Amino acid sequence: MIDWSGYIGLILQGAWVTVELTLMGSALALVVAFAAGLGRLSRFMAVRSLATTYIEFFRGTSIFVQLFWAYFVLPFAGITLTPLQAGVLALGLNVGAYGAEVVRGAVKAIGREQREACIALNLTRYQAMRHIILPQALPLMLPTFGNNAIELLKGTAVVSLISLTDMTFQAQVVRAQTGSTLIPFATILVLYFVMAWVISLGMRWLERRAGRGLDGVRV
């Protein structure tokens, strides 16, 4: 008879690693998404080209390859990352590329009348973007940001390929030690669902907060 308490504890330890990956990867993706998304809208061609190159490269290549480059290839350039750092870097840059297009699309969706009002008020481009455009664009971004965060959560499973002990890796260890496939993988299935559900609830709350007072403002 197998004592599952210890094995479930092992998977829960891996779940904490998954949570860390998701939080840090999402933070990196958010920063990169705004930097690259606003870069696509820059007046300077060099900035637009750099942002476009980043977006197309990371959207057009496999997350598996990006992860392997971060962990196995960068050391040849003198940059050695831990499995956690490599996972955060690869996931953040990959999801950030998709988020950048969300930022660009939301900003461009704000009506020209709003921009003309900024000019009439003699606001600088920075002031207009910070105080007028982005507050209206943010509610448009949040639903897709939520989807991206959930995709990043599910993408954390790939880090098991570089021996990071996330819950997918621990489920494989439990399967190897017990010979049971159903219980460990059913457990992580439920855990992934619960984590995704928490993200979904959190993003809906943010959508409501961000949208307060903006009804009828965007044109």
Side-chain angles (χ1 to χ4, degrees):
M1 199 70 175
I2 299 174
D3 180 9
W4 284 104
S5 60
Y7 291 116
I8 297 300
L10 197 64
I11 292 174
L12 292 177
Q13 290 176 18
W16 178 246
V17 175
T18 297
V19 170
E20 288 182 316
L21 266 173
T22 302
L23 291 176
M24 290 188 285
S26 295
L28 176 60
L30 189 64
V31 171
V32 171
F34 273 94
L38 296 178
R40 286 287 308 272
L41 302 172
S42 174
R43 292 176 295 175
F44 304 103
M45 183 176 179
V47 176
R48 291 199 307 272
S49 299
L50 183 62
T52 301
T53 299
Y54 155 72
I55 292 169
E56 296 303 328
F57 177 81
F58 278 92
R59 288 198 308 174
T61 54
S62 168
I63 180 61
F64 292 98
V65 178
Q66 294 163 16
L67 180 65
F68 289 158
W69 263 82
Y71 189 64
F72 295 113
V73 179
L74 285 184
F76 290 102
I79 304 173
T80 301
L81 302 177
T82 65
L84 181 63
Q85 291 169 337
V88 169
L89 181 65
L91 289 167
L93 292 179
N94 181 273
V95 174
Y98 292 93
E101 287 298 275
V102 176
V103 172
R104 183 183 69 86
V107 169
K108 289 182 72 67
I110 302 304
R112 190 175 69 178
E113 292 82 357
Q114 297 290 317
R115 303 174 192 277
E116 292 173 347
C118 294
I119 295 173
L121 292 171
N122 199 31
L123 298 180
T124 65
R125 285 174 61 89
Y126 171 76
Q127 290 172 328
M129 185 64 70
R130 178 182 176 185
H131 297 292
I132 307 297
I133 305 300
L134 281 181
Q136 296 181 66
L138 185 60
L140 302 178
M141 302 177 196
L142 288 176
T144 310
F145 277 172
N147 289 337
N148 288 346
I150 291 172
E151 286 299 319
L152 190 149
L153 165 66
K154 295 187 291 186
T156 58
V158 304
V159 301
S160 63
L161 298 173
I162 57 172
S163 300
L164 183 61
T165 55
D166 72 317
M167 60 183 178
T168 299
F169 180 90
Q170 299 290 34
Q172 292 171 342
V173 170
V174 172
R175 181 185 64 82
Q177 292 183 358
T178 64
S180 172
T181 300
L182 176 62
I183 293 179
F185 285 100
T187 301
I188 67 170
L189 185 70
V190 171
L191 289 172
Y192 274 120
F193 174 77
V194 170
M195 291 177 187
W197 182 63
V198 170
I199 292 173
S200 182
L201 289 179
M203 294 307 296
R204 288 174 190 169
W205 178 80
L206 284 176
E207 287 175 39
R208 290 194 297 271
R209 287 293 300 267
R212 286 180 182 173
L214 292 178
D215 291 340
V217 173
R218 289 186 296 271
V219 291

